[in-house]
């Protein structure tokens, strides 16, 4: 049977296959989150100052922070799923038909689903519609057996039944300014309600659901977590003390706290470190730092605006019949056809199961900085599936630290084999005061270099220019002048990405105006103009270039003019062309960018920009 298949499809990289284990592992990083927002009258009566020095209620602050988090999430974690649930409400809307709980949603969306532009647009208007459509009331009052907090936890737990706790993180994020929801009750009724509510929370936690609290308070009215929520969340000892210390900070920067909860350290994937046959360690991997890139393009239906799904059918070239399993015919050296299925081809080229396989150990002195090809991954043991992994990992970790060795392992697939180094790290205290737990860093080693044969590059020291003591002194003085205090890369956002997402947001939400994007990477011109910095800079240039140094003029676009060598070459090549005839006959567009730069360089014109800009610059100079 002859099959007309695309060779690129048959021999594609395993990593490009949506059914590949790597893509399936992405589900492990998915998060299901339920925002549980208190809507009692106290949330509307308590006020606080905002960043723009206006007064806002706690409900407004909570709503604004969630709305901003949804905007961020729809861009950076688009496959996470969220639900917004209000409790202590007059109206009710939930599958369990429980009083005092209202699940907010929009059309064409499940109650727990990915955030959409429609959800964000309608949620932005929730304050105007809340009293009319939902309403607010106290849900736990004397003389009533209604327990809105219990109902809210029940509804949230039901929403999070979707999926498995092994393949997704499930969380309930509770926002309230009431530290004692049962404070108005007394006696047996209060004890019974508190007991059943805590049992409901424990049931949810037993199912793998994490409950987190974001307390809203005022400087003169501190949120007392010990009254009720400490027992609900299981906080005690150091955890309780740390939670109390951060209560004020949590409220002052609620947006930042929500972002931290959205982008907390998540397991990237689960691996097994195979020591030898029958013995392995289960590992969870965590990405320490990764570049932020624009999302991949998703093709949408022009009518429904829903993502398009492609389907493929394999048809036999001989009979035109639809076949379930595609085959590929190869011609052997005896001119006989050998037929393989796609599964057989995949198995033939498979040399690894995708797990780590230990090859041996090397001294740490063999591992050089330039061996690290890309950001490392942090690995930590887990006993979820392989019992005893933690004990074995600890023993291996301690031995590697004591002997100052790192492990060499094979990791990857058939089309992308990879050597990696596992480097043990002891407990580390970061500059911010946080404690990084002990574990191992997975470092990607060069493809072709066997680290047993890596040799250092030796360079003749006499051929390398050296800085003089005066130059070093002047450079040090300049660096001290322009040093940024408490600098962190997190202080600066990528302006190109910010503008990209701002355009997407404006289009998706039908906004009339583009959000203003501040480029924080631009130099501080006012600060650089301070006399001390200017003097240090001039002294440094004088020590390096001497008194006869003359800066080259800059063009109108801020790019440096051509160097002397480039200009000499441009003048030489300039005479080989009839520029006037080329311009009159419209043939400049047929020339290469390099050829166009001959004209520009010969006439001391800027050489930056795209081809159209270069042609326009030439025609302007010619007066055409």
């Amino acid at each position: 049977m002859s099959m007309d298949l695309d060779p690129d499809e048959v021999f594609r990289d395993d990593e490009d296959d949506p059914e590949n284990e790597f893509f399936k592992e992405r589900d492990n990083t998915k998060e299901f989150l339920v925002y549980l927002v208190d809507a009692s009258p106290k949330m509307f009566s308590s006020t606080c100052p905002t960043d723009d020095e206006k007064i806002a209620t706690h409900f407004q602050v909570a709503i604004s922070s969630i709305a901003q988090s949804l905007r961020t999430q729809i861009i950076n974690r688009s496959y996470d799923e969220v639900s917004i649930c209000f409790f202590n409400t007059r109206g009710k809307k939930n599958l369990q038909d429980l009083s005092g709980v209202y699940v907010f949603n929009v059309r064409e969306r499940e109650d727990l689903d990915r955030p959409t532009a429609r959800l964000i647009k309608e949620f932005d208007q929730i304050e105007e519609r809340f009293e009319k459509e939902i309403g607010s009331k106290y849900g736990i009052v004397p003389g009533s057996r209604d327990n809105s907090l219990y109902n809210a936890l029940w509804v949230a737990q039901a929403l999070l039944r979707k999926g498995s706790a092994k393949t997704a993180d499930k969380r309930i994020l509770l926002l309230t300014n009431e530290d004692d929801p049962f404070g108005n009750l007394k006696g047996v009724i209060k004890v019974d309600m508190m007991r059943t509510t805590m049992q409901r929370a424990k049931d949810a936690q037993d199912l793998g659901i994490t409950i987190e609290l974001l307390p809203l308070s005022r400087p003169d009215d501190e949120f007392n977590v010990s009254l009720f929520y400490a027992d609900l969340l299981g906080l005690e000892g150091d955890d309780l003390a740390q939670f109390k210390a951060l209560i004020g900070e949590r409220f002052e920067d609620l947006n930042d706290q929500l972002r931290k909860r959205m982008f907390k350290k998540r397991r990237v994937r689960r691996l097994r470190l195979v020591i030898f046959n029958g013995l392995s360690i289960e590992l969870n991997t965590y990405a320490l730092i990764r570049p932020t890139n624009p999302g991949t393009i998703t093709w949408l239906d022009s009518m429904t605006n829903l993502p398009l799904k492609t389907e493929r059918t394999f048809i036999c070239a001989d009979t035109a019949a639809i076949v379930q399993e595609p085959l590929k015919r190869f011609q052997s050296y005896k001119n006989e056809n050998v037929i393989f299925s796609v599964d057989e081809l995949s198995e033939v080229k498979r040399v690894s199961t995708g797990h780590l396989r230990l090859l041996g150990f090397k001294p740490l002195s063999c591992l050089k900085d330039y061996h690290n090809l890309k950001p490392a991954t942090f690995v930590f043991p887990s006993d979820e599936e392989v019992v005893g992994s933690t004990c074995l990992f600890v023993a291996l970790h301690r031995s590697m630290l004591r002997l100052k060795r790192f492990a060499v392992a094979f990791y990857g697939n058939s089309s992308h084999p990879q050597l990696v180094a596992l480097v043990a790290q002891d407990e580390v205290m970061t500059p911010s005061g946080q404690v990084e737990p002990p574990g191992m860093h997975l470092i990607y080693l060069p493809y072709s270099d066997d680290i047993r044969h890596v040799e250092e590059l030796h360079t003749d020291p006499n051929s390398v220019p050296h800085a003089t003591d005066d130059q070093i002194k002047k450079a040090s003085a300049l660096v001290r002048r322009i040093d940024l205090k408490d600098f962190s890369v997190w202080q600066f956002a990528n302006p190109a990405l910010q503008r990209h997402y701002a355009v997407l947001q404006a289009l998706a939400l039908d906004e009339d105006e583009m959000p203003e994007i501040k480029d924080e990477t631009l130099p501080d011109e006012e600060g650089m103009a301070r006399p001390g910095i200017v003097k240090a800079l001039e002294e440094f240039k004088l020590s390096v270039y001497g008194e006869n140094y003359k800066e080259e003029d800059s063009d109108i676009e801020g790019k440096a003019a051509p160097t002397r060598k480039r200009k000499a070459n441009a003048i030489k090549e300039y005479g080989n062309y009839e520029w006037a005839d080329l311009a009159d006959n419209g043939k400049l567009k047929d020339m290469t960018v390099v050829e166009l730069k001959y004209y520009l360089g010969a006439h001391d014109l800027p050489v930056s920009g795209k081809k159209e800009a270069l042609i326009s610059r030439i025609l302007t100079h010619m007066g055409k």
Side-chain angles (χ1 to χ4, degrees):
M1 182 180 293
S2 175
M3 301 301 303
D4 293 332
L5 295 179
D6 181 3
D8 292 336
E9 176 65 23
V10 175
F11 294 101
R12 70 185 171 197
D13 192 336
D14 287 341
E15 293 184 353
D16 298 333
D17 185 359
E19 297 299 322
N20 183 269
E21 180 185 4
F22 176 81
F23 285 86
K24 291 181 179 179
E25 287 286 350
R26 191 182 71 171
D27 291 337
N28 290 330
T29 67
K30 181 184 290 186
E31 181 178 73
F32 296 153
L33 174 63
V34 176
Y35 291 102
L36 210 55
V37 184
D38 189 357
S40 67
K42 186 177 180 181
M43 288 284 288
F44 294 87
S45 60
S46 300
T47 59
C48 59
T50 60
D51 293 338
D52 53 3
E53 299 182 354
K54 294 181 180 179
I55 299 299
T57 65
H58 284 175
F59 185 82
Q60 290 173 330
V61 171
I63 293 301
S64 174
S65 300
I66 293 175
Q68 184 60 42
S69 297
L70 290 176
R71 283 180 167 84
T72 306
Q73 182 175 1
I74 201 173
I75 292 173
N76 294 287
R77 305 288 300 188
S78 60
Y79 47 86
D80 286 351
E81 300 185 14
V82 300
S83 179
I84 304 172
C85 182
F86 298 101
F87 67 101
N88 286 328
T89 58
R90 183 179 65 245
K92 62 178 179 179
K93 181 185 175 185
N94 55 83
L95 294 178
Q96 292 75 20
D97 198 33
L98 298 174
S99 62
V101 182
Y102 191 99
V103 178
F104 178 83
N105 203 1
V106 295
R107 289 178 300 164
E108 302 175 354
R109 183 181 180 273
E110 298 181 8
D111 287 341
L112 180 68
D113 206 344
R114 297 183 181 186
T116 63
R118 182 190 293 272
L119 176 69
I120 295 175
K121 289 176 64 176
E122 295 196 16
F123 188 71
D124 284 340
Q125 308 298 324
I126 190 65
E127 291 184 44
E128 304 171 5
R129 302 159 41 192
F130 187 85
E131 183 58 32
K132 179 180 178 181
E133 299 180 8
I134 303 176
S136 172
K137 74 169 187 178
Y138 286 107
I140 306 175
V141 294
S144 173
R145 298 294 297 183
D146 286 340
N147 186 342
S148 57
L149 180 56
Y150 175 91
N151 293 344
L153 292 173
W154 189 355
V155 170
Q157 178 181 329
L159 290 170
L160 293 172
R161 285 176 182 169
K162 182 177 182 180
S164 170
K166 292 184 177 181
T167 59
D169 291 331
K170 300 183 178 184
R171 295 194 299 144
I172 298 174
L173 191 56
L174 179 63
L175 295 94
T176 181
N177 64 354
E178 178 57 78
D179 53 8
D180 190 10
F182 301 96
N184 294 327
L185 304 182
K186 295 181 180 179
V188 178
I189 296 178
K190 178 177 182 178
V191 173
D192 183 57
M193 281 196 175
M194 291 179 64
R195 180 184 58 80
T196 55
T197 303
M198 291 183 182
Q199 184 60 45
R200 173 56 61 187
K202 184 178 184 301
D203 292 343
Q205 292 166 342
D206 290 342
L207 294 174
I209 299 173
T210 303
I211 302 177
E212 299 183 31
L213 175 68
L214 266 180
L216 307 177
S217 60
R218 295 177 298 178
D220 57 342
D221 185 17
E222 184 177 340
F223 192 100
N224 189 353
V225 69
S226 299
L227 293 178
F228 172 73
Y229 283 104
D231 294 332
L232 182 77
L233 303 177
L235 297 175
E236 56 184 13
D238 294 339
D239 292 336
L240 179 59
Q242 185 178 8
F243 190 94
K244 288 182 177 180
L246 294 176
I247 284 180
E249 178 185 340
R250 291 169 190 264
F251 177 66
E252 289 177 2
D253 197 353
L254 188 59
N255 287 336
D256 183 55
Q257 291 298 322
L258 283 179
R259 282 196 298 272
K260 287 180 179 178
R261 280 159 172 71
M262 287 172 57
F263 301 107
K264 66 176 185 176
K265 292 180 180 178
R266 306 187 190 182
R267 181 179 62 199
V268 174
R269 64 179 306 184
R270 182 183 294 129
L271 294 173
R272 286 192 183 182
L273 174 59
V274 180
I275 308 298
F276 58 85
N277 294 336
L279 182 62
S280 60
I281 302 175
E282 181 184 357
L283 301 173
N284 287 336
T285 63
Y286 300 86
L288 302 180
I289 184 171
R290 290 293 184 271
T292 302
N293 300 314
T296 57
I297 296 176
T298 301
W299 295 101
L300 304 177
D301 187 289
S302 59
M303 301 298 293
T304 64
N305 205 37
L306 296 176
L308 293 176
K309 182 180 179 181
T310 59
E311 295 182 354
R312 181 176 303 151
T313 302
F314 296 98
I315 300 176
C316 177
D318 297 331
T319 64
I322 298 177
V323 294
Q324 298 297 324
E325 185 179 17
L327 305 175
K328 183 66 179 177
R329 175 177 293 169
F330 295 93
Q331 190 173 25
S332 68
Y333 69 96
K334 293 183 179 180
N335 294 325
E336 295 181 359
N337 290 331
V338 180
I339 297 176
F340 291 95
S341 68
V342 171
D343 291 339
E344 290 171 337
L345 285 175
S346 179
E347 191 64 29
V348 166
K349 63 178 184 175
R350 184 184 301 277
V351 296
S352 173
T353 59
H355 298 301
L356 288 167
R357 181 171 293 275
L358 181 64
L359 300 179
F361 299 91
K362 297 291 291 182
L364 284 173
S365 58
C366 294
L367 190 63
K368 306 301 180 182
D369 291 340
Y370 55 79
H371 287 155
N372 192 9
L373 297 179
K374 56 184 178 180
T377 302
F378 187 76
V379 296
F380 201 74
S382 172
D383 291 328
E384 290 184 27
E385 295 186 0
V386 182
V387 179
S389 293
T390 301
C391 292
L392 186 55
F393 182 88
V394 170
L396 181 63
H397 180 271
R398 290 176 177 174
S399 299
M400 291 169 63
L401 286 176
R402 186 180 72 256
L403 300 174
K404 296 181 180 180
R405 300 255 173 169
F406 70 93
V408 183
F410 176 83
Y411 175 53
N413 52 44
S414 55
S415 59
H416 187 67
Q418 181 75 70
L419 277 180
V420 297
L422 289 171
V423 181
Q425 170 194 286
D426 207 349
E427 187 175 89
V428 176
M429 178 74 72
T430 63
S432 60
Q434 296 181 342
V435 178
E436 292 290 345
M440 293 187 188
H441 289 279
L442 189 150
I443 298 175
Y444 299 87
L445 299 175
Y447 306 122
S448 57
D449 288 350
D450 186 330
I451 57 176
R452 293 174 300 177
H453 302 101
V454 172
E455 297 181 358
E456 294 287 348
L457 296 178
H458 297 282
T459 307
D460 183 6
N462 297 324
S463 63
V464 179
H466 290 76
T468 64
D469 293 340
D470 182 65
Q471 291 172 347
I472 296 175
K473 179 180 179 181
K474 294 297 191 297
S476 300
L478 176 61
V479 170
R480 285 195 298 271
R481 284 285 186 179
I482 62 177
D483 182 37
L484 298 177
K485 304 300 182 183
D486 301 324
F487 169 77
S488 171
V489 294
W490 309 112
Q491 298 171 353
F492 303 94
N494 186 326
L497 279 177
Q498 294 297 316
R499 179 169 179 80
H500 170 77
Y501 291 130
V503 172
L504 291 182
Q505 176 180 315
L507 292 174
L509 303 181
D510 294 328
E511 296 176 345
D512 296 332
E513 297 181 359
M514 275 276 298
E516 183 179 353
I517 304 301
K518 182 181 179 181
D519 190 349
E520 299 171 336
T521 64
L522 294 176
D524 180 9
E525 296 183 1
E526 182 179 351
M528 295 293 289
R530 295 200 302 265
I533 294 181
V534 173
K535 180 181 178 181
L537 181 60
E538 292 298 330
E539 290 178 351
F540 171 72
K541 289 194 295 185
L542 183 63
S543 66
V544 174
Y545 300 108
E547 298 180 353
N548 298 326
Y549 170 74
K550 182 180 180 181
E551 293 187 20
E552 297 175 341
D553 295 333
S554 297
D555 59 38
I556 56 175
E557 297 183 1
K559 303 293 183 181
T563 61
R564 294 193 183 106
K565 183 177 180 181
R566 188 193 305 167
K567 182 177 179 180
N569 182 62
I571 294 175
K572 176 182 177 182
E573 297 291 342
Y574 169 80
N576 297 330
Y577 300 88
E578 297 293 338
W579 296 99
D581 292 341
L582 292 172
D584 292 337
N585 297 325
K587 293 184 177 181
L588 289 177
K589 64 180 183 297
D590 298 329
M591 303 179 68
T592 65
V593 172
V594 175
E595 292 174 327
L596 294 173
K597 288 183 177 181
Y598 293 152
Y599 182 97
L600 298 172
H603 293 86
D604 292 330
L605 295 174
V607 295
S608 60
K610 296 183 178 180
K611 186 174 183 179
E612 293 78 7
L614 302 184
I615 294 174
S616 176
R617 203 170 293 151
I618 292 173
L619 294 176
T620 302
H621 184 263
M622 289 183 173
K624 296 185 182 295

